[in-house]
Every structure is written in C-alpha cells, then in structure tokens.
Amino acid sequence: MAGPPFGFSDHDSLQYHFFSGELVFGLRLFQTKTLNHASAWFYDGNKVTEIYREETKLKQGSGDNINIKGNGLELEVDNESTLISLNGSDFLALKLNKKTELKWPDTISTVIHQPDLTGELTIRGQRHAGVGYCKRYTWSPAPHYWGYRFIQGNLGDAEMNIWTAEATFGSSKYDYFKIIEANGNILESEPATSCHRQDSAFAVIDGAQVSITLDALGDYSALLQSSGMDSLLQQRCCRLSVRIGPHSYTGMGINETCYGTLG
C-alpha cells in the first residue's frame, strides 16, 4: 500500500493488526481537519496494554509513499512491504509483506484492504511469526455523523482471515462480510445478508449460514474529541468462534466500534 502520504485529506485512516498465536498487536492512525490520533496496543495472552499514543500531527518524510519518522513512531510503506517501529526497534518492530490487496467503494471513496499480510513481530527482543491485516481510506469531504462495527481476525490452523463491517456514513449504509482462504480465494456475502450484534456477526455466503461469536479478552478505547468532532473509538481483543455451514473454526480477532461526529 504505497502512498499517498498520510494526513493530506479531510479524513485519513490507516490501521494494522497482527496475530501470532494468542498474541495480538493493533496500530491505529487517525486524522481529520481538527484532530490527530495515533495509538498502539499489545495483547500478550493475559491483558491489553497501551504501548504508544500520540495526539500531535505525525511527521511525514519526503517522497510519494507513507514515510513517517518521529514522535516515537517509524512507518515506512512501499508496494510490497511495511516496516513499523515504536520507540526504537529494541521495543517493538514489525515487518509485513503483502500477498493480497483489495479495493472497493466505501460509499464515499475507495477503501484498500490487505487481509493476509505475512510477517514477524519483535517485541522486547522476542520474535513472533504471524499474519497481519491493513486497511486504509481517505475521505474528502467527510460526513459529520457516522458509526460502525468492524470485526477482523485470523482463524489459526484453518489459515483463513475474516473481516466484516456494518456502518452508516452520513446517510449511507455500508455492509460487507469476507473471508480469504490460504490459496487467496475470496468468499463473500451479499451486503443485505450481513449484520452485526454486540458480540456476534452473521451472513450468508454461497447459501451457507456463517456466524462469528466474540469472547472479549481485553479492550482499548480512545475518546476522539476536538473542536470539530466527538467520537468514541473502542477496540476489543477477542477470541473468535466462527461457523461456516457445518464447519467450526477458532482464532483471534479485533472488534472495533466507533460512534459520534467526525470533522
């Protein structure tokens, strides 16, 4: 996901997730006309710990791609890979390599998903191989009112990744439910058959009933509040139980919700 550089639109959003067994990492960059937010957390199998937070504008380096250095974060992105470092590589470093990139309209502009990144996380000197995810969108203009539910996760031994959202942006409704298999094959529902509840999500894919049940293990929240907006962002680290027709799978995931105003 090379370019454009981060933070040069009315609203820019970029996030990375990484899963290795029961270890989960999340990084969120969020910018509007009146607000800057960057945060990262880590679930170590026992609890969620905030490991990075910054509320000032991130420093974008030269070039046409994402190239952020400073404020305790380094993020370099090209067409094939991503390098993330927090507070120096001795604390946390993550390298991700692209396999699949998908793009589609999100009612306002084009959203980009990389659902099956491969890579390695190094934290406090310990290395963990695993699977990552990235999402990026930019909006100009952005709606003032919005709300969404989003689930993304990795289904461990099944070598599948799943991601689904139910949202309202302004007055436009937005839904999807997608699964990517190890061979790159995409399974997806029609928007009308996808829906979310507080601890679950449901869809119909190729005639089969599909469900996700969430078992929350820890949570991270941030109040995104400025002169132009007031939204509550919540991210729950969850154990996933997924049923696709007669087949059951388990894994780890992130359930993100955000409701309020944007601007």
Side-chain angles (χ1 to χ4, degrees):
M1 190 184 298
F6 184 81
F8 293 90
S9 61
D10 286 355
H11 171 41
D12 202 340
S13 174
L14 174 64
Q15 66 192 100
Y16 289 92
H17 302 164
F18 185 80
F19 307 94
S20 178
E22 289 205 340
L23 305 181
V24 181
F25 167 74
L27 172 68
R28 195 73 163 81
L29 308 186
F30 190 97
Q31 171 267 329
T32 70
K33 288 182 176 180
T34 65
L35 181 137
N36 298 283
H37 172 85
S39 59
W41 54 266
F42 181 68
Y43 177 74
D44 62 3
N46 294 300
K47 64 178 181 177
V48 170
T49 302
E50 180 185 88
I51 56 177
Y52 179 78
R53 186 156 180 161
E54 180 61 51
E55 306 291 347
T56 62
K57 189 174 180 63
L58 297 171
K59 299 175 182 178
Q60 170 72 41
S62 59
D64 296 329
N65 299 335
I66 298 171
N67 178 22
I68 293 169
K69 292 185 178 181
N71 305 84
L73 168 67
E74 294 186 8
L75 174 60
E76 298 181 61
V77 184
D78 61 29
N79 286 317
E80 300 301 326
S81 64
T82 296
L83 294 173
I84 299 169
S85 176
L86 291 177
N87 301 319
S89 59
D90 288 344
F91 179 68
L92 181 143
L94 176 60
K95 181 175 182 179
L96 296 167
N97 299 303
K98 183 178 74 173
K99 289 180 64 178
T100 306
E101 183 169 282
L102 304 171
K103 303 179 182 180
W104 66 78
D106 65 5
T107 76
I108 298 173
S109 64
T110 298
V111 62
I112 303 172
H113 295 259
Q114 295 176 343
D116 57 352
L117 299 164
T118 60
E120 182 178 80
L121 173 71
T122 301
I123 184 164
R124 299 185 177 95
Q126 299 295 314
R127 295 183 176 183
H128 307 276
V131 178
Y133 167 86
C134 178
K135 178 172 70 177
R136 172 89 186 276
Y137 66 87
T138 60
W139 290 345
S140 289
H144 187 53
Y145 298 100
W146 74 334
Y148 65 83
R149 293 183 176 273
F150 173 62
I151 300 169
Q152 189 275 320
N154 171 248
L155 301 183
D157 293 342
E159 296 187 55
M160 293 190 295
N161 296 284
I162 191 165
W163 73 117
T164 171
E166 181 174 32
T168 300
F169 303 141
S171 59
S172 298
K173 190 69 170 62
Y174 178 57
D175 305 86
Y176 66 82
F177 198 117
K178 299 178 186 287
I179 300 168
I180 186 166
E181 298 177 310
N183 61 6
N185 183 48
I186 305 291
L187 308 174
E188 58 186 318
S189 73
E190 292 294 329
T193 73
S194 175
C195 66
H196 284 229
R197 296 294 183 264
Q198 176 66 12
D199 295 307
S200 56
F202 306 91
V204 178
I205 297 179
D206 295 335
Q209 297 286 334
V210 182
S211 66
I212 303 174
T213 301
L214 305 174
D215 177 16
L217 303 170
D219 65 87
Y220 179 80
S221 63
L223 186 60
L224 304 178
Q225 197 170 46
S226 69
S227 60
M229 71 174 291
D230 187 358
S231 286
L232 177 62
L233 172 70
Q234 295 179 298
Q235 296 173 309
R236 294 192 297 169
C237 179
C238 300
R239 185 170 283 109
L240 305 183
S241 298
V242 176
R243 190 168 184 84
I244 305 173
H247 305 291
S248 297
Y249 308 94
T250 59
M252 299 293 288
I254 295 174
N255 173 216
E256 179 176 295
T257 58
C258 192
Y259 292 93
T261 58
L262 183 65

